[in-house]
Amino acid sequence: MTSDVLTKAERADMIKLAKSVAIKSAAIIVQSRDGKTVLTKCNPNPTDHTLFNLAVCEMADVEREARRVIWSLSGNDTRWSLCVDIVLKTVEGESMTLETWNISLSSELRDHNINTYALYSRFGIIIKSLLAISRVVPAYRYSRRQTPDTFVIDYRIYEGEPKRSNLGPNKKFRRELSPETRHVMYSFLVCGRPAKNVYLR
């Protein structure tokens, strides 16, 4: 993948990898909000289910929904956006969006000398960093406090631009991770509701 033009096989590999990362990222984000402490071990013999040698507990419903969205992205393989909303739902039936994660791919050209191994390595660093970052933003603290008698944390996965208006005023926006190469720019953005705007009875 060192030439200026991707071959058909290289392009297919890049797209498949980018979509796999998006699906696994959605699972990591949702898992970080289920309120449980998870202990996993690295697998020295990884399979398709342990992408980047990262053991993430299977979340069939989340991955199925993310896969459904990601593989039907308007037929555009080179520019798309996947969003994961984390929603707090109370026993009274009220709900509020705590944060919105946006995973996007664009075909902007950056690095002249990228290869498949280097791209895989960059994605590996990014997805492992996401595992840690998803547990230090404010919504994680609320997820650890959820109980069936007070409130629970749910999620939405959809295509398109993030619905930041659901986060209320004074929302906080930050670009968390962004591996850029000549053939792809992949971005993770998170926008959260400030703690002072979270109302719990």
Side-chain angles (χ1 to χ4, degrees):
M1 206 187 289
T2 57
S3 66
D4 288 347
V5 180
L6 289 173
T7 67
K8 186 175 181 179
E10 288 172 338
R11 182 177 181 277
D13 287 344
M14 183 199 74
I15 291 169
K16 182 179 180 181
L17 178 60
K19 289 185 174 181
S20 295
V21 170
I23 292 168
K24 186 59 68 176
S25 297
I28 288 173
I29 293 166
V30 174
Q31 185 188 78
S32 71
R33 301 295 178 260
D34 67 4
K36 301 174 183 177
T37 299
V38 179
L39 298 177
T40 58
K41 295 181 180 180
C42 282
N43 184 351
N45 301 301
T47 66
D48 290 343
H49 297 292
T50 52
L51 188 66
F52 301 112
N53 195 22
L54 182 65
V56 178
C57 295
E58 197 72 24
M59 301 197 73
D61 291 345
V62 177
E63 294 195 24
R64 188 183 306 113
E65 180 64 13
R67 190 172 289 108
R68 181 191 67 78
V69 173
I70 206 74
W71 289 103
S72 61
L73 286 169
S74 306
N76 188 348
D77 282 332
T78 59
R79 187 177 294 274
W80 46 259
S81 175
L82 177 75
C83 298
V84 181
D85 285 358
I86 300 301
V87 183
L88 183 151
K89 295 184 176 180
T90 68
V91 293
E92 291 84 10
E94 299 176 339
S95 65
M96 70 177 78
T97 303
L98 291 181
E99 61 186 4
T100 295
W101 293 80
N102 176 231
I103 306 162
S104 63
L105 174 84
S106 74
S107 58
E108 296 179 24
L109 302 182
R110 302 284 176 170
D111 191 342
H112 289 267
N113 298 301
I114 193 65
N115 56 55
T116 303
Y117 176 78
L119 185 60
Y120 186 90
S121 297
R122 291 186 188 187
F123 276 134
I125 294 171
I126 291 301
I127 203 167
K128 289 171 185 176
S129 299
L130 178 64
L131 188 68
I133 289 171
S134 62
R135 286 161 171 78
V136 298
V137 292
Y140 177 72
R141 294 197 294 272
Y142 293 105
S143 71
R144 298 286 290 158
R145 291 167 50 190
Q146 64 183 308
T147 68
D149 299 325
T150 55
F151 64 88
V152 295
I153 304 296
D154 202 355
Y155 68 92
R156 286 189 298 261
I157 299 176
Y158 56 93
E159 172 192 1
E161 293 302 311
K163 300 174 182 177
R164 300 191 183 100
S165 59
N166 293 340
L167 295 168
N170 304 316
K171 47 189 166 287
K172 296 181 179 179
F173 172 80
R174 58 192 295 184
R175 180 185 300 269
E176 291 292 358
L177 307 161
S178 184
E180 299 180 358
T181 75
R182 178 169 174 76
H183 295 293
V184 58
M185 208 243 320
Y186 205 81
S187 295
F188 287 83
L189 310 177
V190 59
C191 190
R193 179 186 295 267
K196 65 181 181 180
N197 292 341
V198 178
Y199 305 103
L200 295 175
R201 297 177 183 177

